Amino acid sequence: MANDVKPRVKVPKSAAAGDVITIKTLISHQMESGVRKDGDGNIIPRSIINRFVADFNGQNIIDVTLEPAISTNPYFQFDAMVPEAGEFKFTWYDDDGSVYETSKKIKIA
Amino acid sequence: MEFKTLLTSAAIVALSAGFASAQDDAVLTVDGEVIKTRAAAPAFTENLDTVYSGWHFRSGETQVLQMDDFENPAFVFVDQGVDLFDKVDGSEGKACASCHEDVSDFAGLRPTLPRVENGELVTMEDLVNECRTDRMGAEPWKYSGSQMTAVTALIGLQSRGMSINVAVDGDAAPFFERGKDLYYQRVGQLDMACSNCHEDNYGVMIRADHLSQGQINGFPTYRLKNAKLNSAHGRFKGCMENIRATPFKVGGDEFKALELYLAARGNGLSVETPSVRN
């Protein structure tokens, strides 16, 4: 697993039913290319996030394929309609098999 | 909705930046708090009437990044600073947090640095490394390294919005004079002083970029060009290389004196740490 991976998500705490809200996500990640070498000349294994998924109450909202040219600390911003109270679940998939997850609850106000 | 207002303000900022040839009229707010980015120039800066934060010289897109802490990429590094602050290191088995339980106790420190202690000019980096070597029994960090800038950004952030108020008289006077001499001293193959760009020509294009007044109220600053936090001394070094001079030592006496003088030129501006620049 890559070092210092930390997902961050910004979701409003509450919204009116049917509101479209903006979600911002950022994951701190090295996005290791797999061609760099360490001080001893050994190749540092490739570790790039290749997929990002967001779900709301089990229903998929967005499913992103990330290609290798994407920078370190990838940032996504997207809109989602909130029909009911529930939980957003965010998942990032790493080339090395690691899965990073975080979730945020939202209330209906 | 917050998103829409942000977009609208972004459009306004972009528009005004498009017309202004130099510093624009935009107002910097971070999460609703107004940051003072212009102030009456201190008495000793004879050639300036108003001092402007470097934020005013950046494009609208760059300005907006600093207006929301989530979008400000520097906060990735501030988070690393939080972890480093709590991390035990050295022979004493201590972390920064062992003595400084609440990092917010550092509010008010950034605006007063660098300052003179026992006849020596000290910067925040010096204070951090003094704690590491004398109280934690740990190796000092590299002066402009990533661990140092992460922690100085975290500590500086506690003072965001406070007015810079660096002492220039008393014990600090000889260091201030030295910094001033360095500021106006032409050096390097291009034979230029700091003042030639940042005092005589601020607001003018230098290649594809607007020259700022060289204020350091936002350091350490996240630069889009290298995607990391940059210390003030790192920036001084970059400037000196640009004018084909041999840079002074990062963390050395010359740069510390220059840091004092530059910080004092920004007396009255708010601390912006961590700022976003290009």
Side-chain angles (χ1 to χ4, degrees), chain B residues 10 12 18 21 71 83 102 127 180 193 204 222 237 246 254 261 271:
Chain B
I12 293 165
S21 62
E71 297 200 18
D83 293 342
D102 190 350
L127 294 173
K180 187 172 182 180
V204 175
Y222 180 89
K237 184 171 171 242
T246 307
E254 294 89 354
Y261 178 67
V271 174

Side-chain angles (χ1 to χ4, degrees), chain A residues 18 21-22 30 33-34 40 42 44 54-55 60 69-70 76-77 80-81 89-90 96 99 104 108:
Chain A
I21 59 161
T22 299
Q30 194 65 45
S33 67
D40 301 325
N42 303 315
I44 305 171
D55 294 323
N60 183 253
I70 290 177
F76 289 107
Q77 176 178 324
M81 206 260 283
K89 194 169 159 236
F90 306 91
D96 65 10
V99 176
K104 282 275 178 199
I108 293 298

Side-chain angles (χ1 to χ4, degrees), chain B:
Chain B
M1 234 168 52
E2 190 192 310
F3 176 58
K4 275 188 183 143
T5 51
L6 192 72
L7 266 189
T8 325
S9 63
I12 293 165
V13 168
L15 207 64
S16 53
F19 290 123
S21 62
Q23 62 281 1
D24 60 16
D25 300 325
V27 176
L28 172 58
T29 57
V30 180
D31 296 337
E33 185 195 0
V34 176
I35 307 277
K36 211 167 144 199
T37 50
R38 70 183 75 219
F44 57 82
T45 53
E46 302 96 0
N47 306 322
L48 299 176
D49 295 326
T50 311
V51 287
Y52 298 97
S53 155
W55 183 80
H56 282 293
F57 300 90
R58 300 283 68 89
S59 67
E61 299 90 330
T62 311
Q63 289 183 333
V64 167
L65 282 176
Q66 203 184 317
M67 298 172 84
D68 178 352
D69 284 349
F70 192 87
E71 297 200 18
N72 183 340
F75 276 82
V76 170
F77 300 92
V78 171
D79 275 358
Q80 291 171 5
V82 171
D83 293 342
L84 285 168
F85 197 82
D86 293 332
K87 190 178 164 196
V88 173
D89 197 5
S91 57
E92 305 296 314
K94 284 183 184 171
C96 305
S98 309
C99 299
H100 308 283
E101 284 172 22
D102 190 350
V103 71
S104 63
D105 293 344
F106 285 116
L109 179 67
R110 178 74 264 174
T112 63
L113 293 175
R115 68 184 176 206
V116 177
E117 289 180 4
N118 304 322
E120 280 190 40
L121 187 62
V122 297
T123 59
M124 189 184 285
E125 286 85 349
D126 291 333
L127 294 173
V128 170
N129 267 345
E130 185 194 321
C131 266
R132 285 186 60 78
T133 53
D134 295 3
R135 285 179 273 285
M136 291 166 67
E139 289 292 310
W141 278 330
K142 205 171 155 221
Y143 195 92
S144 275
S146 60
Q147 293 158 313
M148 182 63 89
T149 50
V151 168
T152 54
L154 171 68
I155 295 172
L157 170 66
Q158 312 306 318
S159 308
R160 186 168 64 182
M162 295 182 180
S163 292
I164 306 253
N165 185 19
V166 175
V168 298
D169 46 7
D171 289 350
F175 299 102
F176 175 80
E177 289 302 327
R178 181 156 193 214
K180 187 172 182 180
D181 288 347
L182 288 166
Y183 189 83
Y184 289 103
Q185 175 66 54
R186 285 175 180 267
V187 288
Q189 286 184 330
L190 298 191
D191 202 27
M192 292 172 83
C194 309
S195 61
N196 293 143
C197 286
H198 298 291
E199 191 170 275
D200 304 341
N201 283 303
Y202 70 85
V204 175
M205 297 296 272
I206 182 165
R207 299 177 76 177
D209 214 357
H210 280 123
L211 279 167
S212 75
Q213 284 185 347
Q215 297 291 350
I216 57 170
N217 58 319
F219 279 87
T221 185
Y222 180 89
R223 294 193 69 192
L224 299 167
K225 85 171 224 176
N226 59 9
K228 67 181 181 78
L229 287 176
N230 294 262
S231 69
H233 288 205
R235 179 67 260 203
F236 300 163
K237 184 171 171 242
C239 264
M240 290 192 79
E241 283 165 352
N242 289 348
I243 55 168
R244 318 283 185 265
T246 307
F248 296 117
K249 185 173 174 280
V250 167
D253 292 340
E254 294 89 354
F255 274 171
K256 285 204 267 187
L258 187 60
E259 182 180 344
L260 171 68
Y261 178 67
L262 286 180
R265 281 174 76 94
N267 273 352
L269 294 174
S270 292
V271 174
E272 265 176 56
T273 309
S275 60
V276 183
R277 302 288 186 260
N278 53 356

